Amino acid sequence: MARKRLGFDSKFQLNKCNKRSKRDNNRISWLPDDILVNILSYLSMKEAARTTVLSSRWMNLWKHTTSSLDFRADNALARIRENYDLCSEERRKYEEWVDRVIRSHKSVTLKEFSVCFDLGLSSQESITRWIEFAFTRHVQKLDLDFSVKVKNKTSPRTHYTLPEEFLTRRTSGGNSCIDFKSLKELSLKCVNLTGQAIEFFLHNCPFLEKLVVHYTNKISNLEVCGPSLVLKHLELMHCNYLESVKVSAPNLISLIGPNIDVLLLENVPMLKEVYINCMHYNDSVEKLLPTYSCCVSQLEILTLQLNSHRKLGLGMHLTKVVLPTFPELTKLKKLVVSYWTDHDQSLMGLTPLIRASPNLQEFILELWMDDPSRSHRKVKNTTSQLPHHHLKVFKFCGYYGRSSDVELVRYILKNSVVLEKIIIDPFEPILRDFELCGEDLERIQIARGFAKQQLEARVPQRVELVIL
């Protein structure tokens, strides 16, 4: 009897230990629902949804997350790029996916709602319904991107038009459950909307800190003005019919502005970062510089987009970059030059920009070249002795080992007193977002070989050379 009793007791103790072990190994499932939902909110939507396979306890938890509904479908977009005949079917699947998720979503608040896909005119009603859903959830960040990315360009097709009544019926109190007051970030790409619609968001979203508008055809004149605006970041690009913009925003920190005839800046005491698009002609730099005269002395980050194509007559090209004289940029710490050219021309014309920035710490050159082939021109030795006392990092994107490439790197090495790092990136900026073909990969591999051959022996030990 003792043996049987001992056997029973041992089996009981073993089962008890197994249950405790299982419970200990899955302690997270014993946490309250609100804590688990909070944990899931740190995951992406797809990652959170995958937790439904863990157990019945997890089946509906992800539907209550408040962090993000990010509807990105990169694989589907890749299939469309490969075969556009699949577009209609992929659009249908995408709409069904978004509708299915928002029908299931239970949280009353939402930090981010993002839609990024190639959607056509047939999706108008669905998109409007999704936007209304986001605002009824007191969304803080709304991102709508209907631009179509294909190799070498972004197609500026604008399919969706924001209905005027969507905003007007809110102002008349037609739907009290729509809440614009929680919005902090608004990004609209390939969305048609008027200047009045933008101004509506500016003045009815009291916490709006970031506004991005790309590819729209209905804006002609725009005012971003108001002493109570909390707006910190403003980005307006590819607004084809935009003629004038007036900006008076006391909290504005960064401005990515369009290339337009009339840009009026006033009351921007916090403005530290500016992007200037001078793609049409280089002499537009001269035209645009006075526009930013009120903030030049306070800039810390400057991005210039330049184009080498000039009106010199048929078949003629500039042999070097020619820029106007820049005012002294006393506080500038980071300079980014995005430069488009179609041949191997000298880049030394960019160096006055560095000399005009006595406290510059980082210089990034993004070279976009139509023809990446190397010329047979000999590399010229730089003779200038103009030390840069604060430049620590130089990054060259689009390096291919051309004579002009080597000349600029040698100039930086010779004149930068405290240089710490040179980053050579053979990837042309235009290739970063796309899957590379064999020809592109071969060219990049060749560029890496040129960089090692031309630079490794010349870079002193105190400077770190990084070839990506």
Side-chain angles (χ1 to χ4, degrees):
M1 293 291 292
R3 284 181 182 176
K4 288 182 181 180
R5 191 161 51 247
L6 180 62
F8 175 82
D9 289 344
S10 298
K11 186 175 181 181
F12 175 78
Q13 292 294 333
L14 181 62
N15 289 338
K16 187 176 180 180
C17 289
N18 285 339
K19 289 179 181 179
R20 186 186 302 117
S21 176
K22 289 179 181 179
R23 183 169 68 246
D24 290 343
N25 288 336
N26 192 23
R27 286 181 178 178
I28 191 172
S29 291
W30 290 79
L31 294 173
D33 284 356
D34 55 346
I35 294 179
L36 292 179
V37 169
N38 188 48
I39 293 172
L40 292 179
S41 294
Y42 287 96
L43 303 178
S44 70
M45 181 180 70
K46 289 183 178 180
E47 290 171 337
R50 290 193 187 108
T51 62
T52 59
V53 302
L54 296 177
S55 69
S56 57
R57 169 80 193 286
W58 293 82
M59 187 64 67
N60 294 308
L61 288 176
W62 74 273
K63 299 176 183 179
H64 296 267
T65 57
T66 62
S67 60
S68 171
L69 293 183
D70 188 351
F71 296 99
R72 297 186 185 275
D74 294 336
N75 292 335
L77 286 172
R79 289 192 292 272
I80 292 173
R81 284 197 293 268
E82 291 295 325
N83 183 2
Y84 203 75
D85 291 338
L86 299 175
C87 188
S88 296
E89 178 63 16
E90 294 295 344
R91 284 175 178 171
R92 182 187 63 78
K93 291 180 181 177
Y94 184 87
E95 284 192 50
E96 290 177 352
W97 173 43
V98 178
D99 285 337
R100 184 167 61 251
V101 170
I102 65 176
R103 280 197 302 267
S104 302
H105 195 259
K106 306 299 182 183
S107 176
V108 295
T109 60
L110 191 60
K111 290 182 180 178
E112 179 180 355
F113 186 85
S114 178
V115 173
C116 178
F117 205 71
D118 177 9
L119 294 173
L121 294 173
S122 61
S123 305
Q124 295 280 318
E125 291 185 6
S126 295
I127 296 170
T128 302
R129 188 172 63 252
W130 299 341
I131 297 173
E132 291 201 20
F133 163 82
F135 281 117
T136 59
R137 295 299 194 273
H138 313 282
V139 68
Q140 295 181 29
K141 179 180 178 182
L142 178 63
D143 184 357
L144 304 178
D145 184 357
F146 306 122
S147 57
V148 183
K149 294 179 176 63
V150 295
K151 191 173 182 179
N152 297 332
K153 64 178 180 178
T154 296
S155 177
R157 291 184 292 175
T158 306
H159 290 309
Y160 178 71
T161 299
L162 185 69
E164 290 186 11
E165 63 272 14
F166 178 80
L167 301 177
T168 56
R169 71 173 181 261
R170 311 306 171 209
T171 57
S172 61
N175 193 336
S176 59
C177 67
I178 296 291
D179 178 23
F180 295 104
K181 293 182 179 180
S182 299
L183 193 65
K184 293 182 178 180
E185 296 184 23
L186 178 62
S187 179
L188 304 173
K189 297 179 181 180
C190 282
V191 175
N192 258 331
L193 72 167
T194 62
Q196 289 79 6
I198 293 178
E199 291 172 19
F200 172 90
F201 285 116
L202 287 170
H203 296 292
N204 287 274
C205 304
F207 301 108
L208 188 65
E209 296 182 354
K210 183 175 182 179
L211 175 63
V212 176
V213 178
H214 287 198
Y215 299 110
T216 187
N217 297 324
K218 287 192 172 185
I219 306 174
S220 56
N221 302 289
L222 179 63
E223 288 193 2
V224 182
C225 302
S228 61
L229 288 182
V230 299
L231 191 70
K232 295 180 180 180
H233 307 281
L234 176 63
E235 184 173 330
L236 302 170
M237 295 188 69
H238 310 294
C239 302
N240 297 331
Y241 297 100
L242 187 59
E243 297 175 356
S244 69
V245 177
K246 180 181 178 181
V247 178
S248 177
N251 295 292
L252 193 68
I253 295 173
S254 71
L255 171 64
I256 298 179
N259 188 357
I260 57 175
D261 292 331
V262 181
L263 175 60
L264 179 60
L265 296 177
E266 58 183 39
N267 191 25
V268 285
M270 304 296 291
L271 189 60
K272 297 178 180 179
E273 180 178 357
V274 165
Y275 170 100
I276 304 177
N277 182 356
C278 305
M279 281 297 292
H280 292 304
Y281 312 107
N282 272 349
D283 56 6
S284 66
V285 178
E286 295 176 291
K287 183 179 66 176
L288 288 173
L289 274 178
T291 300
Y292 297 91
S293 60
C294 67
C295 61
V296 163
S297 62
Q298 62 197 48
L299 291 184
E300 296 182 7
I301 301 174
L302 173 63
T303 299
L304 283 174
Q305 191 167 20
L306 306 173
N307 194 335
S308 70
H309 302 116
R310 300 287 295 273
K311 290 187 174 181
L312 301 175
L314 188 62
M316 297 179 65
H317 298 282
L318 285 175
T319 58
K320 61 180 180 180
V321 184
V322 178
L323 292 176
T325 302
F326 269 71
E328 192 171 56
L329 304 163
T330 55
K331 292 188 177 181
L332 198 69
K333 296 179 181 179
K334 180 177 180 180
L335 173 64
V336 181
V337 176
S338 186
Y339 188 65
W340 291 68
T341 184
D342 59 358
H343 62 293
D344 184 5
Q345 66 173 198
S346 174
L347 300 171
M348 295 302 293
L350 297 174
T351 58
L353 275 170
I354 310 174
R355 294 197 292 273
S357 312
N359 294 299
L360 191 68
Q361 297 179 14
E362 183 178 1
F363 175 40
I364 299 175
L365 174 62
E366 297 182 337
L367 192 61
W368 306 65
M369 185 167 285
D370 295 337
D371 180 9
S373 60
R374 303 165 73 235
S375 69
H376 298 290
R377 179 174 65 83
K378 290 185 178 180
V379 176
K380 297 179 181 179
N381 291 319
T382 59
T383 57
S384 59
Q385 294 288 344
L386 298 165
H388 306 300
H389 294 284
H390 298 278
L391 188 63
K392 295 180 180 180
V393 178
F394 171 52
K395 184 174 183 179
F396 193 142
C397 303
Y399 185 96
Y400 193 60
R402 295 166 286 257
S403 299
S404 55
D405 300 353
V406 180
E407 288 167 357
L408 183 61
V409 175
R410 287 185 182 180
Y411 170 87
I412 296 292
L413 284 170
K414 187 174 183 179
N415 292 282
S416 302
V417 179
V418 296
L419 190 67
E420 297 176 356
K421 181 183 290 187
I422 290 182
I423 304 170
I424 301 298
D425 185 357
F427 278 78
E428 295 176 62
I430 206 164
L431 298 177
R432 287 178 189 152
D433 297 329
F434 302 103
E435 186 176 345
L436 301 183
C437 63
E439 182 180 342
D440 296 324
L441 292 171
E442 182 180 357
R443 190 166 74 245
I444 288 168
Q445 193 61 36
I446 292 172
R448 288 195 183 106
F450 284 142
K452 291 182 180 180
Q453 175 188 341
Q454 296 163 337
L455 304 179
E456 279 188 341
R458 287 184 170 270
V459 176
Q461 289 186 347
R462 65 178 175 82
V463 179
E464 181 185 2
L465 175 64
V466 179
I467 302 174
L468 300 179

